[in-house]
């Protein structure tokens, strides 16, 4: 279970955030004063959510404290819209910035993105459903049997997996995976992906088409 | 004339008469002391026996003091009838003319002669020179002491004639003449008057020179006061070439500066009030709608009816709109206040775009839209104002989300190539008509119209996005290429392009 440290002084907003995060299965510790936050040990948490306007201490000082003691992801909440505040927070080591007002889902999504771990990594391999990928060994296995991919097909799959679920443009895939001398263009890319999907069988659904962009890896479930 | 020379002249004009007066006084005192000295010298000798000698033998009394003193010391010789030791006759036949007596340094000081007269100014000694007319005239007029500076052959001297207490005898008046020593020239009365007139003239000249300065300074002070009281609307008169005129000009320049500042502050204050008024006004309607939705929800809840998802969605849309509005109005205020408020720094655009898109995911999900983002693996660095650019991108995304419906797609793609970056926000929805695109491409898009939440909803968001792009030196274009979507839904594409910055 992910452990979240929330530093927020507003009672209603704080309660909302706590409820939202707990509903998503996270463990939340809620501190409502800056000076109390300064004596918290960031090492026991996986992520911190920090409001900049706090009683008892400056939000930026709490940020510095958290940063000094650990490298846990810190997400700033703020109503202030000055560019300098954002820049300063990011300079001081904040990982993300959520401006009020925000939707609970928005905050949750950002928290989850920061907590995101690479897709099911076990012993240096990636699992896409029933398919196991060994990126270093350049092998793909299903039930112990090797799936034969061409170099381009494997490169495409590996590249998408390494993006950790982020969408990748067709052009980027062409640039990184296709050979420009051998008909490496956006049109041929789609053909390669289509073949890749076929070879993956059911797990082909893990390779999602993203409209206007290209492709990404996503658990179809 | 400049103040410097003027003041110098004034000082001279005051100083000279003062100096002259002091000098005159000094000489006068000096003379008096010398006169007193002479009188005392004469009287001193009288006390020591000269008087006796004079009264006993007035026909032989008189001449160089040295001789008198010498004879007094030797004392009177014996019996009656003995000739007293002779005085040396005044050379030149007793007329008092001829070279001054020489020699004699025994007792008595500087060379001097002494003659005695009775109260009618007659001298019993036939060898005595005549009393000078100037002295005689003074005594006749009733003065008790008369004195005169004398000069002969380059030597100066002082002679004094004065009445003694022995009015009945042959030494009622004594005339002592002393040569040598410096005798200061003291002006006559006429000279004094002339000098006084000159001094007065100089003083007047000084006043004439100084008074205009004082008057002009007073005038300037009054003008400055008036000008300040009318917010510097009225400049002070500044004709002339001296320092006072320069001061006036400097004051006018300062006044112009203050006026300009005040105008700028007033403008900003007005803009601020306008902003506040716009904000409150623009939030009122969505807030009202929201309250309406909540009221509906409450009624249905009271009636035990199930929640209407549409109404909930309506509430969320209004809340989302208000949030966007507030951010946009803040951005508008900053853009309107000019380049000063735009804080450009080298930044990675990736996180900015990501944050802008994240804001709209809940709404997109609400509407059943696919909202996807693609960022390059390397940082994309450009000089941007973080908040302003985030708001601009957010507006582009919001625009796309708002115009599309269930099943539509919105993609946000950030790419870098060479020295430039491009950010595309595309969707496969209904797109925009030619007329709307035309309007969007206009240079000037009035903020007032932009604030209306029109049905085809270009509104404030795109206006802000365009202004923000301009403030960054980026290009923002809109298109509705039919290649994006299906039949009847040409889609919409907003493209923001600009220069990358190295390193940083």
């Amino acid at each position: 279970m992910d452990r979240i440290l929330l530093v927020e002084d507003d009672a209603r907003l704080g309660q909302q955030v706590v409820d939202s995060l707990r509903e998503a299965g996270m463990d939340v510790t809620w501190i409502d004063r800056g000076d109390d936050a300064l004596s918290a040990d960031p090492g026991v948490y996986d992520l911190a959510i920090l409001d900049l306007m706090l009683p008892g201490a400056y939000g930026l000082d709490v940020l510095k404290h958290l940063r000094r003691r650990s490298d846990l992801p810190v997400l700033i909440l703020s109503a202030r819209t000055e560019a300098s505040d954002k820049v300063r927070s990011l300079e001081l080591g904040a990982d993300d910035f959520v401006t009020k007002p925000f939707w609970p889902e928005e905050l949750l999504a950002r928290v989850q993105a920061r907590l995101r771990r690479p897709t099911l990594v076990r012993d240096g391999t990636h699992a896409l459903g029933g398919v196991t990928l060994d990126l270093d060994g350049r092998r793909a296995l299903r039930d112990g049997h090797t799936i034969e991919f061409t170099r381009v097909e494997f490169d495409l799959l590996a590249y998408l997996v390494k993006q950790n679920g982020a969408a990748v443009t067709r052009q980027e895939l062409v640039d990184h995976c296709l050979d420009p001398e051998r008909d490496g263009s956006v049109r041929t890319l789609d053909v390669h992906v289509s073949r890749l999907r076929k070879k993956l069988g059911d797990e082909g659904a893990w390779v999602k088409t993203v409209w206007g962009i290209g492709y990404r890896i996503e658990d179809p479930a | 004339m400049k103040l410097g020379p003027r003041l110098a002249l004034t000082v001279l004009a005051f100083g000279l008469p003062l100096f002259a007066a002091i000098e005159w006084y000094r000489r006068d005192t000096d003379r008096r002391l010398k006169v007193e000295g002479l009188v005392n010298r004469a009287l001193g000798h009288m006390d020591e026996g000269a008087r006796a000698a004079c009264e006993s033998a007035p026909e032989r009394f008189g001449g160089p003091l040295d001789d008198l003193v010498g004879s007094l010391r030797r004392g009177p010789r014996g019996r009656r009838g003995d000739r007293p030791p002779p005085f040396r006759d005044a050379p030149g036949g007793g007329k008092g003319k001829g070279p001054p007596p020489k020699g004699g340094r025994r007792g008595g000081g500087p060379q001097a002669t002494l003659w005695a007269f009775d109260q009618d100014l007659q001298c019993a000694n036939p060898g005595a020179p005549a009393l000078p007319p100037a002295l005689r005239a003074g005594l006749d007029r009733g003065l008790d002491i008369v004195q005169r500076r004398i000069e002969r052959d380059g030597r100066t001297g002082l002679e004094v004639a004065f009445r003694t207490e022995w009015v009945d005898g042959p030494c009622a008046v004594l005339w002592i003449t002393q040569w040598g020593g410096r005798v200061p020239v003291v002006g006559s009365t006429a000279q004094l008057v002339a000098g006084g007139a000159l001094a007065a003239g100089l003083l007047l000249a000084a006043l004439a020179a100084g008074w205009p300065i004082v008057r002009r300074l007073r005038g300037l002070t009054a003008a400055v006061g008036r000008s300040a009281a009318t917010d510097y609307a009225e400049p002070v008169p500044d004709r002339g070439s001296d320092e006072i005129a320069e001061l006036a000009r400097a004051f006018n320049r300062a006044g112009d500066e203050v006026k300009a500042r005040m105008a700028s502050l007033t403008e900003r204050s007005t803009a601020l009030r306008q902003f506040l008024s716009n904000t409150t006004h623009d939030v009122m309607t969505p807030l009202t709608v929201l309250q309406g939705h909540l009221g509906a929800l409450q009624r249905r809840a009271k009636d035990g009816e199930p929640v209407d998802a549409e109404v909930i969605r309506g509430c969320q849309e209004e809340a989302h709109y208000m949030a966007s509005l507030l951010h946009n109005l803040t951005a508008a205020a900053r853009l309107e206040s000019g380049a000063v408020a735009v804080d450009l720094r080298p930044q990675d655009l990736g996180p900015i775009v990501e944050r802008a898109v994240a804001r709209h995911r809940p709404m997109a999900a609400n509407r059943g839209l696919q909202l996807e983002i693609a960022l390059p693996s390397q940082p994309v660095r450009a000089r941007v104002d973080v908040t302003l650019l985030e708001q601009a991108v957010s507006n582009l995304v919001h625009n796309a989300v708002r115009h599309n419906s269930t099943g539509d797609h919105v993609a946000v793609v950030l790419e870098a190539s060479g020295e430039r970056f491009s950010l595309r926000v595309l969707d496969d929805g209904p797109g925009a008509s030619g007329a709307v695109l035309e309007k969007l491409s206009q240079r000037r898009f009035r903020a007032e119209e932009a604030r209306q939440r029109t049905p085809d909803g270009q509104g404030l968001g795109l206006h802000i996005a365009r202004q923000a792009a301009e403030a960054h030196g980026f290009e923002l274009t809109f298109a509705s290429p039919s290649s994006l979507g299906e039949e009847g839904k040409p889609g919409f594409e907003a493209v923001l392009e600009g220069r990358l910055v190295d390193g940083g």
Side-chain angles (χ1 to χ4, degrees):
Chain A
M1 189 190 276
D2 294 310
R3 287 155 306 177
I4 313 290
L5 170 64
L6 170 67
V7 187
E8 168 61 58
D9 68 312
D10 186 276
R12 290 203 196 106
L13 177 61
Q15 192 58 58
Q16 268 191 352
V17 172
V18 166
D19 290 343
S20 157
L21 295 177
R22 281 187 185 150
E23 231 174 291
M26 300 181 195
D27 176 84
V28 186
T29 305
W30 177 17
I31 296 181
D32 65 357
R33 284 188 60 88
D35 38 16
D36 293 335
L38 285 174
S39 43
D41 174 17
V44 307
Y45 303 103
D46 299 306
L47 181 140
I49 303 173
L50 170 64
D51 190 323
L52 278 187
M53 301 293 284
L54 295 168
Y58 288 117
L60 289 176
D61 285 340
V62 176
L63 172 60
K64 278 191 253 183
H65 163 78
L66 294 174
R67 262 287 149 271
R68 208 180 303 130
R69 302 279 303 279
S70 75
D71 55 4
L72 94 167
V74 179
L75 202 145
I76 300 287
L77 292 182
S78 178
R80 288 172 68 89
T81 54
E82 301 296 311
S84 50
D85 285 328
K86 268 202 187 110
V87 171
R88 192 92 188 95
S89 313
L90 297 170
E91 271 172 7
L92 284 174
D95 294 90
D96 208 347
F97 204 99
V98 177
T99 325
K100 296 176 194 170
F102 55 85
W103 294 102
E105 307 94 305
E106 189 186 336
L107 179 62
L108 187 58
R110 305 280 272 280
V111 167
Q112 284 169 335
R114 289 290 152 186
L115 286 170
R116 179 167 32 201
R117 288 169 181 91
T119 344
L120 309 160
V121 175
R122 286 191 306 265
D123 332 314
T125 61
H126 288 71
L128 270 57
V131 172
T132 308
L133 277 182
D134 176 358
L135 295 182
D136 293 331
R138 293 185 67 85
R139 285 185 316 153
L141 297 170
R142 186 214 298 282
D143 304 329
H145 300 301
T146 308
I147 307 176
E148 292 295 334
F149 287 121
T150 65
R151 185 197 67 82
V152 170
E153 286 161 2
F154 193 88
D155 283 348
L156 282 172
L157 188 55
Y159 195 87
L160 286 171
V161 166
K162 283 192 196 141
Q163 300 314 309
N164 225 4
V168 186
T169 58
R170 285 184 168 83
Q171 191 57 51
E172 194 171 329
L173 288 169
V174 166
D175 291 341
H176 284 90
C177 306
L178 265 56
D179 187 345
E181 287 169 29
R182 282 228 247 142
D183 59 280
S185 76
V186 169
R187 271 166 293 123
T188 55
L189 174 71
D190 290 342
V191 171
H192 284 294
V193 172
S194 159
R195 286 201 202 122
L196 166 64
R197 275 179 174 145
K198 277 218 186 76
K199 289 183 184 175
L200 282 171
D202 288 339
E203 277 73 12
W206 278 73
V207 179
K208 285 198 63 120
T209 304
V210 181
W211 181 89
I213 296 174
Y215 301 98
R216 62 181 168 96
I217 294 288
E218 189 189 69
D219 187 341
Chain B
M1 186 195 287
K2 291 278 180 194
L3 279 185
R6 213 186 256 213
L7 286 174
L9 274 181
T10 310
V11 167
L12 267 179
F14 273 99
L16 279 176
L18 198 61
F19 176 75
I22 290 174
E23 181 63 14
W24 179 87
Y25 182 72
R26 187 185 69 80
R27 288 175 180 217
D28 192 58
T29 309
D30 205 13
R31 177 77 77 87
R32 277 178 210 279
L33 285 174
K34 284 200 154 66
V35 165
E36 234 179 81
L38 267 189
V39 167
N40 290 336
R41 190 178 175 192
L43 289 177
H45 292 314
M46 296 304 273
D47 279 344
E48 289 163 6
R51 179 178 153 223
C54 174
E55 284 179 350
S56 62
E59 67 285 350
R60 282 204 292 271
F61 184 81
L65 265 181
D66 293 340
D67 297 341
L68 169 63
V69 168
S71 73
L72 288 178
R73 287 214 179 119
R74 281 193 296 275
R77 285 262 176 96
R79 305 164 304 235
R80 252 173 106 85
D82 274 352
R83 276 184 87 223
F87 276 76
R88 248 205 329 256
D89 284 318
K95 285 299 176 188
K97 306 258 191 275
K102 294 196 178 20
R105 273 183 300 279
R106 293 163 294 157
Q111 303 145 29
T113 56
L114 180 67
W115 301 100
F117 298 81
D118 64 17
Q119 61 179 343
D120 296 323
L121 303 182
Q122 301 297 323
C123 187
N125 188 333
L131 191 62
L135 299 183
R136 182 183 289 272
L139 289 168
D140 280 342
R141 273 207 310 276
L143 296 171
D144 287 337
I145 300 183
V146 285
Q147 42 101 351
R148 194 169 69 124
R149 180 176 185 270
I150 45 185
E151 202 178 315
R152 197 187 298 168
D153 297 336
R155 299 188 72 210
T156 55
L158 182 65
E159 56 187 10
V160 181
F162 63 98
R163 293 185 191 278
T164 65
E165 56 187 301
W166 314 294
V167 293
D168 297 326
C171 40
V173 172
L174 292 177
W175 172 31
I176 175 167
T177 306
Q178 180 175 290
W179 288 100
R182 285 169 9 114
V183 181
V185 177
V186 177
S188 66
T189 314
Q191 287 177 334
L192 205 57
V193 169
L198 178 64
L202 285 173
L203 271 170
L204 282 174
L207 277 174
W211 187 243
I213 298 180
V214 173
R215 207 188 53 221
R216 284 178 64 210
L217 279 172
R218 288 216 186 127
L220 183 60
T221 308
V224 163
R226 276 197 305 275
S227 188
T230 62
D231 287 338
Y232 305 101
E234 218 186 278
V236 302
D238 62 353
R239 279 194 321 273
S241 66
D242 67 356
E243 286 88 343
I244 296 186
E246 278 172 29
L247 179 61
R249 278 191 285 275
F251 175 78
N252 283 338
R253 280 195 298 273
D256 286 338
E257 276 270 338
V258 172
K259 258 195 302 199
R261 297 269 174 86
M262 275 167 47
S264 149
L265 280 173
T266 309
E267 197 182 304
R268 277 162 61 180
S269 159
T270 309
L272 189 62
R273 263 179 303 173
Q274 190 67 32
F275 169 74
L276 281 174
S277 149
N278 288 349
T279 309
T280 44
H281 172 271
D282 292 349
V283 169
M284 294 311 178
T285 302
L287 196 48
T288 306
V289 175
L290 176 59
Q291 284 177 254
H293 283 321
L294 291 172
L297 283 172
Q298 194 195 38
R299 276 194 305 280
R300 293 174 71 97
K302 255 198 345 187
D303 294 342
E305 286 173 34
V307 169
D308 184 346
E310 267 305 304
V311 178
I312 303 278
R313 201 160 73 80
C315 292
Q316 289 174 309
E317 296 265 340
E318 295 309 314
H320 197 71
Y321 179 78
M322 281 193 283
S324 275
L325 191 61
L326 284 173
H327 281 126
N328 274 329
L329 286 171
T330 311
R334 286 181 61 204
L335 284 167
E336 238 128 78
S337 65
V340 172
V342 177
D343 182 8
L344 297 177
R345 305 182 197 205
Q347 296 279 330
D348 182 4
L349 297 183
I352 296 175
V353 173
E354 200 165 6
R355 285 196 296 266
V357 170
R359 264 198 239 174
H360 303 283
R361 282 195 197 285
M363 278 300 103
N366 241 356
R367 289 170 152 268
L369 296 173
Q370 298 292 315
L371 174 57
E372 298 278 356
I373 180 175
L375 302 174
S377 36
Q378 305 291 69
V380 179
R381 299 186 72 86
R383 281 177 59 82
V384 296
D385 177 307
V386 166
T387 310
L388 218 45
L389 192 75
E390 193 176 313
Q391 192 55 34
V393 174
S394 173
N395 289 343
L396 295 176
V397 176
H398 192 186
N399 185 58
V401 168
R402 207 173 34 193
H403 286 107
N404 290 283
S405 43
T406 310
D408 287 343
H409 301 87
V410 179
V412 180
V413 184
L414 176 66
E415 288 170 309
S417 146
E419 287 184 354
R420 295 181 70 77
F421 73 88
S422 91
L423 174 70
R424 289 180 297 135
V425 179
L426 35 143
D427 66 73
D428 59 358
S433 67
V436 170
L437 284 174
E438 171 72 38
K439 202 170 180 195
L440 283 176
S441 68
Q442 275 168 9
R443 288 263 96 191
R444 284 256 149 247
F445 198 153
R446 276 179 46 85
E448 275 308 303
E449 323 169 342
R451 279 173 52 226
Q452 307 306 319
R453 186 158 63 153
T454 54
D456 54 339
Q458 263 63 47
L460 188 54
L462 292 183
H463 172 71
I464 297 291
R466 152 150 289 131
Q467 278 212 292
E470 262 177 41
H472 284 86
F474 298 158
E475 286 127 40
L476 177 59
T477 49
F478 304 104
S480 228
S482 49
S483 53
L484 280 178
E486 305 155 358
E487 201 62 59
K489 286 172 112 186
F492 189 81
E493 186 178 23
V495 183
L496 179 72
E497 285 174 313
R499 276 175 56 86
L500 294 171
V501 74
D502 313 315

